[in-house]
């Protein structure tokens, strides 16, 4: 079934079928936007990278104890291509799967998943509450403050950056740029427009 490629509409409907929690949907949209940004940057398939980002935590709300495993089951049943499924599984490498990120697409997903959470949290404590005017420097400051967004595993992000051969500044900048593309949908457009 390698020829079948899911559409954005299908993927989003599937996401909504398994997720009600608004913060999880925003996380999915943030990861999608960043994956699209990186795909564009390296001249790869934006749609494919984006959909994988959108769906990567599909099972998390309903099956947190079987995270990744359930998504694999659901996507297989729907004939999603094997490389899409592998990529989704690889974001949980060392946590809920033993699928090590290999392709550039997988490494990017691994590196930016947790990072989108740190960037969103950083944006929300800024006066503008926005990613639109935010720089890597702000994230760097919060990166060092381990008590800030303590649930964000810095070691995973660092490991992802190392896999990609990127320094943190570059990774932060690209991830912010990706999140800007979906700023409104993920609630990080800030209060600029209201003024
Ligand atoms: Fe996950
Ligand atoms: Fe995630």
């Amino acid at each position: 079934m390698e020829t079948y490629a899911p559409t954005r509409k299908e993927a989003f409907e599937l996401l909504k079928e398994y997720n009600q929690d608004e913060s999880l949907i925003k996380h999915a949209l943030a990861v999608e936007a960043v994956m699209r940004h990186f795909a564009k940057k390296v001249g790869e398939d934006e749609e494919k990278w984006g959909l994988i980002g959108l769906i990567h935590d599909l099972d998390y709300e309903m099956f947190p104890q079987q995270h990744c495993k359930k998504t694999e089951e659901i996507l297989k049943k729907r004939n999603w291509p094997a490389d899409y499924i592998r990529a989704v599984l690889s974001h949980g490498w060392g946590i809920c799967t033993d699928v090590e990120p290999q392709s550039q697409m997988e490494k990017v997903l691994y590196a930016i998943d947790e990072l989108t959470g740190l960037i969103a949290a950083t944006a929300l404590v800024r006066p503008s509450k926005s990613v639109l005017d935010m720089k890597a420097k702000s994230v760097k400051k919060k990166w060092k403050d381990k008590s800030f967004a303590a649930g964000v595993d810095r070691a995973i992000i660092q490991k992802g950056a190392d896999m990609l051969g990127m320094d943190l500044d570059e990774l932060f900048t690209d991830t912010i740029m990706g999140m800007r593309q979906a700023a409104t949908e993920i609630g990080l457009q800030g209060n600029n427009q209201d003024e």
Side-chain angles (χ1 to χ4, degrees), residues 79-118:
N79 294 319
W80 275 50
D83 59 334
Y84 284 58
I85 297 174
R86 190 192 193 281
V88 166
L89 293 177
S90 74
H91 95 267
W93 179 49
I95 306 156
C96 52
T97 75
D98 52 11
V99 181
E100 185 174 350
Q102 281 172 357
S103 68
Q104 197 174 20
M105 174 176 73
E106 292 173 347
K107 291 173 184 173
V108 170
L109 178 62
Y110 185 85
I112 61 97
D113 179 20
E114 294 268 316
L115 180 54
T116 59
L118 181 63

Side-chain angles (χ1 to χ4, degrees), residues 24 27-28 31 53 56-57 60 67 91 109 112-114 116:
L24 291 177
H27 171 64
V31 173
H56 79 283
D57 278 336
Y60 190 70
H67 183 38
H91 95 267
L109 178 62
I112 61 97
D113 179 20
E114 294 268 316
T116 59

Side-chain angles (χ1 to χ4, degrees), residues 1-8 10 45 51 79-81 84:
M1 300 300 285
E2 291 294 328
T3 50
Y4 164 71
T7 63
R8 171 41 163 88
E10 264 174 81
D45 186 339
L51 295 200
N79 294 319
W80 275 50
Y84 284 58

